[in-house]
Amino acid sequence: LSAGEPAGSLTEEGARLLDPTGGLVAGIPMCPPEGDAGTGMVATGSVAPRTGNVSAGTSIFAMVVLERPLRQVHLEIDVVATPAGDPVAMVHCNNGANELGAWGSLFSRFAESVGARVDGDAVFEALFREALAGEADAGGVVAYNLLAGEPVVDVAEGRPLVVRSPGADFTLANFMRAQIYGAFGALALGMRVLDEEGVEVDRMLAHGGVFRTAGVAQQFLAAALDTPVTVGETAAEGGAWGIAVLAAYLSAADELPLGDYLAERVFRDAEFETRSPEPADVTGYARFLERYSAVLPAVRAAADGI
């Protein structure tokens, strides 16, 4: 079913199964279900051709609504659809922000061990802000967030690594920049396939918790994709909010196509901030990605030894 079509309603039996207390009532209308891909498009308002979005959570993926079919099959690209049925090229990476979360927990524990009581959000804010002071190529530090296998870069089993040469400038700023850069590494390589296909994107919208620290991951993603990246005030809401919007669309589907509904009723007064790629960061990320690609054999080999 396409977005806006009725997908049934909650039965009495279903209501009691979900809520034995009786607060949930039968008859609630259902919208067609969507996974992270569809809800991510809706949560960013990216359902029109030449728009795209990046969702960064446990996994990370980018989707670009196509103007035309791809010329050939690419192992790195999945062809999916918007909730309304338009074709979308998707670069899906199994690994996202979990490794960043692990390092945040480690630094939180260090802060506690020296008597500094700070909450998790403050730790991430400090670490992300520190990354802005890092060198454009992360000073020669390379980080991999691969907790699971990653088909986009031909890694069968995940082994998160931090690699550097003895001469690399190993500072906290470069370390954190490498961690954020690395979270986008597989995605950037997949998106280069679409660039070679001639797929054009007018705007890329981003959402997910990693963008809560304003301007940091957004700036680095713009460098990784060499494309302006927009973050809205709903950026941290994610797919759960997206499916709620699709549920609300049931009452408006007879009046407006999904794209118009999002533009005119959901995002009409929303605030957005756009960051264009900084030339120095684009050049620096390209150098980082060269190292990232060159060291991938070590990531594959690590699975044999650990």
Side-chain angles (χ1 to χ4, degrees):
L1 297 175
S2 294
E5 294 185 66
S9 59
L10 186 62
T11 64
E12 184 65 37
E13 182 184 7
R16 296 291 70 75
L17 176 66
L18 293 172
D19 180 16
T21 69
L24 198 61
V25 298
I28 295 172
M30 299 289 184
C31 68
E34 291 286 347
D36 284 351
T39 58
M41 295 178 218
V42 171
T44 53
S46 307
V47 298
R50 297 175 66 99
T51 63
N53 76 91
V54 171
S55 176
T58 302
S59 63
I60 183 169
F61 51 85
M63 290 169 289
V64 179
V65 185
L66 298 172
E67 296 179 283
R68 57 166 178 80
L70 297 178
R71 289 189 291 265
Q72 63 187 82
V73 173
H74 300 278
L75 295 179
E76 302 90 343
I77 308 298
D78 296 315
V79 177
V80 295
T82 70
D86 295 313
V88 175
M90 179 179 185
V91 180
H92 184 276
C93 305
N94 290 336
N95 300 275
N98 281 6
E99 182 69 355
L100 282 169
W103 282 107
S105 296
L106 184 146
F107 283 112
S108 292
R109 177 66 191 120
F110 172 77
E112 291 176 6
S113 72
V114 296
R117 296 286 180 177
V118 292
D119 64 29
D121 284 348
V123 169
F124 279 106
E125 174 86 19
L127 291 173
F128 274 50
R129 294 293 172 204
E130 183 70 11
L132 289 173
E135 297 172 54
D137 66 347
V141 182
V142 183
Y144 297 88
N145 66 332
L146 306 181
L147 291 163
E150 192 59 82
V152 173
V153 291
D154 193 26
V155 171
E157 292 186 42
R159 294 297 185 273
L161 293 178
V162 177
V163 184
R164 62 189 175 97
S165 67
D169 192 7
F170 193 55
T171 64
L172 178 60
N174 283 334
F175 173 81
M176 284 309 304
R177 184 174 281 235
Q179 288 292 336
I180 301 172
Y181 273 11
F184 299 136
L187 182 76
L189 291 172
M191 289 295 290
R192 277 157 173 73
V193 174
L194 291 182
D195 186 58
E196 292 167 3
E197 270 269 1
V199 174
E200 296 185 9
V201 186
D202 292 332
R203 64 170 185 170
M204 186 70 75
L205 290 99
H207 75 126
V210 73
F211 299 105
R212 288 174 62 186
T213 302
V216 182
Q218 180 184 7
Q219 176 178 324
F220 296 162
L221 179 60
L225 303 184
D226 195 11
T227 299
V229 173
T230 299
V231 172
E233 58 187 342
T234 60
E237 299 299 336
W241 184 71
I243 195 65
V245 171
L246 284 170
Y249 178 58
L250 282 173
S251 63
D254 291 339
E255 305 169 38
L256 293 168
L258 179 61
D260 293 344
Y261 172 77
L262 295 176
E264 296 176 17
R265 299 195 183 176
V266 178
F267 293 103
R268 183 182 61 189
D269 299 320
E271 294 184 5
F272 293 92
E273 180 189 359
T274 299
R275 289 288 181 98
S276 296
E278 298 285 344
D281 285 341
V282 172
T283 301
Y285 193 90
R287 289 199 300 269
F288 171 88
L289 200 61
E290 287 178 5
R291 298 188 188 105
Y292 180 98
S293 299
V295 183
L296 279 170
V299 182
R300 301 180 188 114
D304 296 329
I306 302 176

